Amino acid sequence: MKALTVMVLTLAASLFSISTVADTLPREARVPGGLAIVPLGEYATRPEVHYNGKPVLTIQQDAQWIALVGIPLGVTAGTQSLDIKPGNANKQQISFDITSKEYESQYITIKDDRKVNPYAQDLERIQKESTEIALALRTFSSEREVPLVFRYPVEGPTSSPFGLRRFFNQLPRKPHSGLDIAAPTGTPIVAPAAGTIIETGDYFFNGNTVFIDHGQGLVTMYCHMNSIDVKPGDRVDSGTPIGTVGMTGRVTGPHLHWGVSLNDARIDPSLFLSKP
């Protein structure tokens, strides 16, 4: 009974610690495409945490360690597990539950059918680019201070929310893994938080694209840009211009596709915004 009381008090302390710093954390949404904030307890040093074999972002608040876990869109609702290795101690596990979420469908007509059904000569390029994009999104740098509340990268209305089940010219494609913000061509795009430019490129589907590493597996992506004003290795602060809105790649009009990846899971960028 005494051990149970201690466990309850420890969990309560962890939850209180999280609630007192809620304004410095992203919003939690334990659903596919969402984010779980999982109390880990007290450790003398930063514990190594993995989810599905991928390293997880951890922060310390009032002596308590907390894991911020990106939940992939393809995960089935139910119990998930984190593997934790605190220092030289044996590996432990902590479980957390996620619930299901049904995203709406979106049907888009693309005039350039090649962007829906690529030619044979396009496929080699697409495969090469897919490998490069995946590598950028898997970036994990051991930054101790990671920005967790973002500003909008561009001014404009949301034209397509995150998670939509997409059909291009009536053909099913991958769910929408970012947030689309409509704006005229040439509208400035700024970094939503401090970070380092990982990669830039001109891709078949994504058009002109920039990737920013914010630390510990938190990576943001900016697609369909008209111009790119940064290069790999550049350090940017919140509000630093990185380029302009365009309509390169597979688009129906000028807009910014803004993606957020956490532990290599594409999640809803709006969870990181100070104002939804």
Side-chain angles (χ1 to χ4, degrees):
M1 185 67 178
K2 182 178 179 181
L4 178 60
T5 302
V6 171
M7 184 181 297
V8 170
L9 290 174
T10 301
L11 179 58
S14 299
L15 294 175
F16 174 77
S17 175
I18 291 176
S19 67
T20 58
V21 294
D23 59 339
T24 64
L25 294 175
R27 294 190 306 283
E28 184 175 48
R30 294 190 177 192
V31 297
L35 180 149
I37 300 176
V38 183
L40 303 175
E42 294 187 15
Y43 297 103
T45 59
R46 181 185 300 272
E48 293 181 16
V49 182
H50 287 78
Y51 172 57
N52 290 337
K54 306 287 180 65
V56 169
L57 191 160
T58 57
I59 61 172
Q60 190 177 32
Q61 298 283 6
D62 298 331
Q64 298 286 330
W65 288 97
I66 301 167
L68 281 74
V69 189
I71 305 169
L73 269 168
V75 166
T76 303
T79 301
Q80 304 289 309
S81 295
L82 298 180
D83 293 319
I84 305 166
K85 191 174 187 310
N88 296 322
N90 293 329
K91 185 183 293 184
Q92 305 168 6
Q93 278 197 335
I94 289 183
S95 297
F96 64 98
D97 292 327
I98 64 170
T99 58
S100 61
K101 180 172 181 176
E102 190 73 15
Y103 290 97
E104 295 182 0
S105 297
Q106 183 183 45
Y107 294 82
I108 300 173
T109 299
I110 303 293
K111 292 181 180 179
D112 182 1
D113 189 64
R114 186 175 179 178
K115 295 296 185 182
V116 181
N117 298 294
Y119 297 166
Q121 60 263 39
D122 298 324
L123 297 180
E124 183 177 351
R125 174 188 173 185
I126 291 169
Q127 180 59 49
K128 178 178 180 295
E129 292 176 352
S130 296
T131 300
E132 187 175 300
I133 291 168
L135 186 63
L137 293 173
R138 284 199 301 269
T139 298
F140 189 95
S141 59
S142 45
E143 296 280 348
R144 297 227 170 239
E145 298 295 329
V146 180
L148 297 173
V149 179
F150 291 168
R151 61 183 291 170
Y152 275 92
V154 68
E155 294 184 9
T158 297
S159 54
S160 290
F162 173 87
L164 294 173
R165 294 177 297 170
R166 286 192 143 178
F167 297 80
F168 290 103
N169 298 354
Q170 302 300 315
L171 299 174
R173 291 296 184 261
K174 292 180 179 180
H176 190 218
S177 59
L179 183 70
D180 285 355
I181 304 173
T185 296
T187 303
I189 301 169
V190 301
T196 301
I197 305 300
I198 307 169
E199 188 61 85
T200 68
D202 177 13
Y203 303 112
F204 186 82
F205 291 121
N206 294 345
N208 291 328
T209 302
V210 170
F211 300 88
I212 303 179
D213 170 25
H214 302 282
Q216 290 198 53
L218 179 58
V219 176
T220 54
M221 177 173 70
Y222 310 81
C223 304
H224 312 306
M225 297 169 68
N226 185 57
S227 64
I228 294 175
D229 299 332
V230 289
K231 63 184 184 302
D234 285 353
R235 183 71 184 174
V236 294
D237 295 319
S238 176
T240 298
I242 62 171
T244 59
V245 172
M247 50 183 301
T248 55
R250 183 170 62 188
V251 295
T252 57
H255 72 281
L256 171 68
H257 172 94
W258 179 34
V260 172
S261 183
L262 182 61
N263 50 264
D264 199 23
R266 262 48 88 200
I267 65 174
D268 188 349
S270 67
L271 298 174
F272 286 82
L273 292 169
S274 56
K275 295 181 180 179

